[in-house]
Amino acid sequence: MGTSRRWIFAVVGVVAVAAMIFRPGFPLSVSQETRHVFDLIDSLDSNSVVMISFDHEASSLPEVGPLGTAIVDHCFRKGIRIVGLALFSEGTAAGYELINRRASAAGKTYGTEWIYLGFRPQYTSAILGMGEDLGEVFSRDYEGHSLAESPLGSRIHNYRDIALVISVADGSMPTYWVEYAQARYNVKIAAALTAVMVTSYIPYLESHQLTGIVAGLRGAAEYEQLLSAPGAGSRGMDAQSAIHALIAVLIVAGNIQAWRKRRSQTGRGTNQ
Amino acid sequence: MNLLETTTTALLTLAIYSFLAGDNPFYKFAEHLLVGLTIGYTLVITLKSVIWPQAIIPMGRGEMPGLVPLILGCLILLRLVPRWAGWSRISLALVVGGGAGVAIPAMLKARVLDQMAATANGVTSWAGWIILIGVLATLTYFVFTRAHRGAWGTSARIGRYFMMVFFGATFAYTVMSRVALLIGRLEFLMGDWLGILRS
Amino acid sequence: MRDRLAIITATLAGAFMALQYFITLPIANSAYRAILSWMQIIAAFAIVVGVFGVIRLHLERIGRKRAGWLYSVTLLAGVLVMTILGFAGGIDRGTSFQWVFDHWQAPMQSTVFSLLAFYIASAAYRGFRARSGESAILVMAAIIVMLGRVPLGEWLSPILPNVSDWILNVPALAAKRAILIGIGLGMVATSLKVIAGLERTYLGGR
């Protein structure tokens, strides 16, 4: 491994650690996209049901965890009922733990104020199936209780009983929610995404197939600001700024070095 | 989290970060443990959360419609037996064929028609016109049955410029994501484990 | 014979699932729901097959004492731990299964992906070159969006976030939309080929 590479690794580590310790605290403004999702949830009736699907791998938890936490907190604060599920197997335990933790903090009761359905593979058929009859896709919840006997579970038959579906995702799953749930059953879909997926979903937002997008640690920080409850997203913004600036500097430095090298080689070529 | 819990997590985290100094046995150990845990996790979740409630319980209640998916599922399991592996293709064909069938109307509507409608309806502003030009130019770039020469070539070249902007923006957002993961792990190491971060 | 049966199954299932979009008959709806439910169960069994495939591979490696067989022991120990915890203790909150997921599996996975932050920084310095007009556009867009999306960028100049938003909402959107439309058309064509029996790669490349 090259020495320059090791140096770059070390500089990235030092810059991140320094930014997290000293926290310069740059001001953060809330983007239109995040405010829109916030307003959307805020406008829902207190008794309405929001479906939150944890469509991500465990690897993205540091990024989608703060996003999911902020959204779940907002729903519980508004008295909105939450139906959790996962279309990625690893999202299953992550989503269950997340809602459970926030429900305990908010004093919410399982079965009446929130339920967790668990995991279904083959997302196409699962999304379409829930549009026909949720009880056919999930006869029992994650904890093994019959859905028909659950006060909240028995209230939901299909997407007509769901005010909003939020896909907490690190991949292409919101696309399938749009293509199979929104296009066919006209349910509103919002996406809480890892930043890397933003460019893929902007066309769906502009065409109103997606109702809203909130993305990345920055999106979580903005949402936390709207909730007046700073959390992991807000704490991470200084380090995010510092490393972005470092990478921008590295790109410029690398290009200057390459340009000088090319110039000196051309010079030598001309001399010869 | 108590110190013992955070220390085990921290040691596994550091074992993976040791890869930055080069491949080594600590990293390899953590990597294989991670793969093993993930496989075990997937097996448990699939069996307990899907197969048991959706296939086994209905069978136990004597519901005959439940027999069909169970048979189809068992055909898939035959893939593990080389001599009979071919039978699994029937179940696979149902998933592939069924998936293809539902995809046709869904893709046509959501990915093609709705996106085209949004492009056409957007031309009430300058940005909408730029989007229309960008969409058409990028689409011409992907037409490989026609030589990229003359006006067609110019359009394809403009499409390439649009794609370069898209790739640049995607790179920036990729940086954002990966940095967020690093921040998450550092927050754990310095905050939850070592306790040197302000809350 | 088996392959022919598979092709007929794919054709019938595909044609029916495509046509039912336009049919409102209750019997068609019942069949549609049944097939959707079967597809999920088949997919679940396919996951089990995949899991046992990996386990078999590592058992073979241990049996033949191939290079790195001790790591295969670690891997199988991981499988065993999670399986026993999941079946013996349950998967609810507060169980050991959930504990191992929260404290070992999830943190290790995110650590693996966070390694990329270091490699991206290295690649940015060593390989992200503006050698032509097109690559210069790529580099400029990346720098503007990278700075425009963090609080530091807002602090440096209020123009940066606006330009970054414009890049995302106009040219990047246009390119991605064209890609989406292209992929959409491609998927419709592939689906039609599957239903017509012309696309048979799912049979194993034949």
Side-chain angles (χ1 to χ4, degrees), chain A residues 2-163:
Chain A
T3 318
S4 69
R5 180 182 276 191
R6 284 218 175 101
W7 273 109
I8 291 169
F9 290 170
V11 172
V12 169
V14 168
V15 166
V17 168
M20 290 173 82
I21 290 175
F22 298 112
R23 294 231 204 127
F26 299 108
L28 173 81
S29 64
V30 177
S31 68
Q32 262 185 336
E33 287 85 10
T34 307
R35 188 175 288 283
H36 182 69
V37 174
F38 181 87
D39 290 343
L40 184 71
I41 294 176
D42 220 50
S43 66
L44 296 177
D45 292 337
S46 64
N47 218 9
S48 51
V49 180
V50 165
M51 180 178 264
I52 303 181
S53 184
F54 293 87
D55 307 327
H56 61 84
E57 308 282 356
S59 55
S60 337
L61 261 178
E63 198 178 4
V64 293
L67 267 177
T69 303
I71 289 169
V72 167
D73 281 353
H74 190 197
C75 290
F76 280 149
R77 200 184 275 191
K78 286 277 303 172
I80 294 165
R81 313 295 196 243
I82 294 178
V83 174
L85 74 145
L87 299 180
F88 269 28
S89 73
E90 284 178 16
T92 318
Y96 178 66
E97 167 66 19
L98 191 152
I99 305 184
N100 220 327
R101 191 164 20 89
R102 302 318 300 162
S104 299
K108 299 288 175 182
T109 319
Y110 187 83
T112 53
E113 289 167 302
W114 72 284
I115 50 167
Y116 199 73
L117 302 175
F119 164 62
R120 282 292 169 271
Q122 232 291 322
Y123 43 83
T124 314
S125 51
I127 293 172
L128 286 169
M130 285 190 284
E132 299 295 325
D133 185 355
L134 186 96
E136 260 175 32
V137 181
F138 289 97
S139 53
R140 284 171 186 275
D141 67 10
Y142 187 64
E143 296 186 352
H145 311 298
S146 162
L147 215 62
E149 289 160 21
S150 152
L152 179 55
S154 58
R155 243 181 81 182
I156 306 148
H157 305 103
N158 51 39
Y159 295 131
R160 275 197 289 272
D161 305 312
I162 303 283

Side-chain angles (χ1 to χ4, degrees), chain A residues 1 6 23 59 63 89-90 93 119-120 136-137 139 175 179-180 195-196 199 203 207 209 235-236 240 244, chain B residues 20-21 38 41 45 49-50 54 57 102-103 106-107 110-111 114-115 118 170 173-174 176-177 181 183 187 198:
Chain A
M1 197 188 296
R6 284 218 175 101
R23 294 231 204 127
S59 55
E63 198 178 4
S89 73
E90 284 178 16
F119 164 62
R120 282 292 169 271
E136 260 175 32
V137 181
S139 53
T175 313
E179 284 160 2
Y180 295 104
V196 64
T199 48
S207 62
Q209 290 167 283
R235 283 199 303 274
Q240 187 102 49
H244 279 219
Chain B
L20 291 170
T38 306
Y41 165 89
I45 291 285
S49 187
V50 189
Q54 294 301 100
I57 291 183
V102 291
M107 293 294 155
R111 272 200 203 195
D114 286 354
Q115 288 295 317
T170 304
Y173 276 100
T174 308
M176 205 165 183
S177 264
L181 298 185
I183 292 168
E187 195 169 277
R198 281 181 286 155

Side-chain angles (χ1 to χ4, degrees), chain C:
Chain C
M1 199 273 277
R2 278 180 315 209
D3 284 359
R4 190 168 293 171
L5 200 59
I7 292 165
I8 292 168
T9 309
T11 301
L12 290 177
F16 171 72
M17 295 301 264
L19 290 174
Q20 61 71 39
Y21 189 82
F22 310 99
I23 303 170
T24 49
L25 285 174
I27 191 167
N29 185 261
S30 302
Y32 165 65
R33 283 152 66 160
I35 294 176
L36 288 178
S37 138
W38 298 349
M39 283 164 73
Q40 286 161 53
I41 294 168
I42 294 169
F45 276 95
I47 292 173
V48 175
V49 169
V51 164
F52 280 105
V54 179
I55 292 172
R56 192 164 63 184
L57 187 85
H58 284 273
L59 279 174
E60 267 177 36
R61 189 182 279 182
I62 294 167
R64 292 181 186 169
K65 292 258 164 53
R66 286 211 192 111
W69 67 274
L70 265 174
Y71 296 119
S72 294
V73 174
T74 313
L75 185 144
L76 292 180
V79 177
L80 210 62
V81 164
M82 242 6 198
T83 312
I84 291 171
L85 292 178
F87 284 110
I91 55 177
D92 298 358
R93 197 184 189 201
T95 56
S96 304
F97 177 82
Q98 183 74 42
W99 187 92
V100 174
F101 177 82
D102 290 337
H103 292 86
W104 290 0
Q105 189 182 332
M108 277 201 283
Q109 276 214 27
S110 45
T111 310
V112 169
F113 279 84
S114 76
L115 282 172
L116 291 173
F118 294 96
Y119 287 98
I120 283 180
S122 167
Y125 177 69
R126 295 145 62 99
F128 215 58
R129 300 277 188 264
R131 286 201 182 90
S132 62
E134 283 172 14
S135 56
I137 291 174
L138 191 147
V139 169
M140 285 306 293
I143 292 176
I144 292 169
V145 175
M146 217 159 41
L147 291 176
R149 286 298 295 158
V150 287
L152 174 69
E154 280 178 57
W155 179 77
L156 284 173
S157 161
I159 298 166
L160 265 175
N162 293 337
V163 178
S164 161
D165 282 350
W166 184 84
I167 287 175
L168 182 68
N169 290 311
V170 182
L173 182 152
K176 180 62 193 180
R177 179 165 282 164
I179 293 169
L180 274 179
I181 293 171
I183 293 174
L185 289 170
M187 285 178 85
V188 171
T190 308
S191 299
L192 284 170
K193 281 168 74 180
V194 167
I195 294 170
L198 300 171
E199 169 63 55
R200 301 176 182 186
T201 42
Y202 64 92
L203 295 176
R206 273 183 279 173

Side-chain angles (χ1 to χ4, degrees), chain B residues 31-48:
Chain B
E31 182 196 28
H32 282 79
L33 180 65
L34 171 61
V35 176
L37 293 175
T38 306
I39 292 171
Y41 165 89
T42 308
L43 184 66
V44 171
I45 291 285
T46 307
L47 289 174
K48 288 194 89 159

Side-chain angles (χ1 to χ4, degrees), chain B:
Chain B
M1 276 195 283
N2 64 39
L3 187 66
L4 188 69
E5 282 177 351
T6 51
T7 304
T8 55
T9 312
L11 290 177
L12 290 169
T13 301
L14 293 174
I16 288 173
Y17 276 141
S18 71
F19 185 74
L20 291 170
D23 205 1
N24 65 76
F26 296 109
Y27 172 75
K28 276 213 164 85
F29 166 79
E31 182 196 28
H32 282 79
L33 180 65
L34 171 61
V35 176
L37 293 175
T38 306
I39 292 171
Y41 165 89
T42 308
L43 184 66
V44 171
I45 291 285
T46 307
L47 289 174
K48 288 194 89 159
S49 187
V50 189
I51 294 177
W52 179 256
Q54 294 301 100
I56 310 291
I57 291 183
M59 267 304 296
R61 282 201 300 256
E63 292 170 12
M64 286 317 281
L67 195 64
V68 180
L70 206 61
I71 292 170
L72 290 167
C74 290
L75 282 180
I76 279 279
L77 288 181
L78 288 178
R79 211 167 179 83
L80 293 167
V81 187
R83 251 181 80 188
W84 297 327
W87 289 102
S88 67
R89 288 182 199 138
I90 293 161
S91 300
L92 204 62
L94 183 81
V95 176
V96 173
V102 291
I104 293 172
M107 293 294 155
L108 267 180
K109 184 178 183 323
R111 272 200 203 195
V112 182
L113 299 176
D114 286 354
Q115 288 295 317
M116 282 162 71
T119 312
N121 293 332
V123 291
T124 48
S125 64
W126 279 108
W129 278 102
I130 298 172
I131 290 171
L132 177 68
I133 293 166
V135 169
L136 293 176
T138 310
L139 282 172
T140 53
Y141 173 77
F142 284 108
V143 177
F144 297 116
T145 47
R146 191 172 167 172
H148 288 183
R149 274 192 241 112
W152 194 266
T154 309
S155 176
R157 198 168 61 246
I158 293 169
R160 270 210 313 268
Y161 290 141
F162 272 87
M163 279 193 288
M164 287 303 139
V165 175
F166 168 71
F167 293 139
T170 304
F171 174 83
Y173 276 100
T174 308
V175 169
M176 205 165 183
S177 264
R178 301 307 169 225
V179 169
L181 298 185
L182 175 64
I183 292 168
R185 296 318 299 144
L186 287 178
E187 195 169 277
F188 165 77
L189 287 173
M190 298 197 300
D192 297 335
W193 188 43
L194 297 175
I196 55 170
L197 285 185
R198 281 181 286 155
S199 58

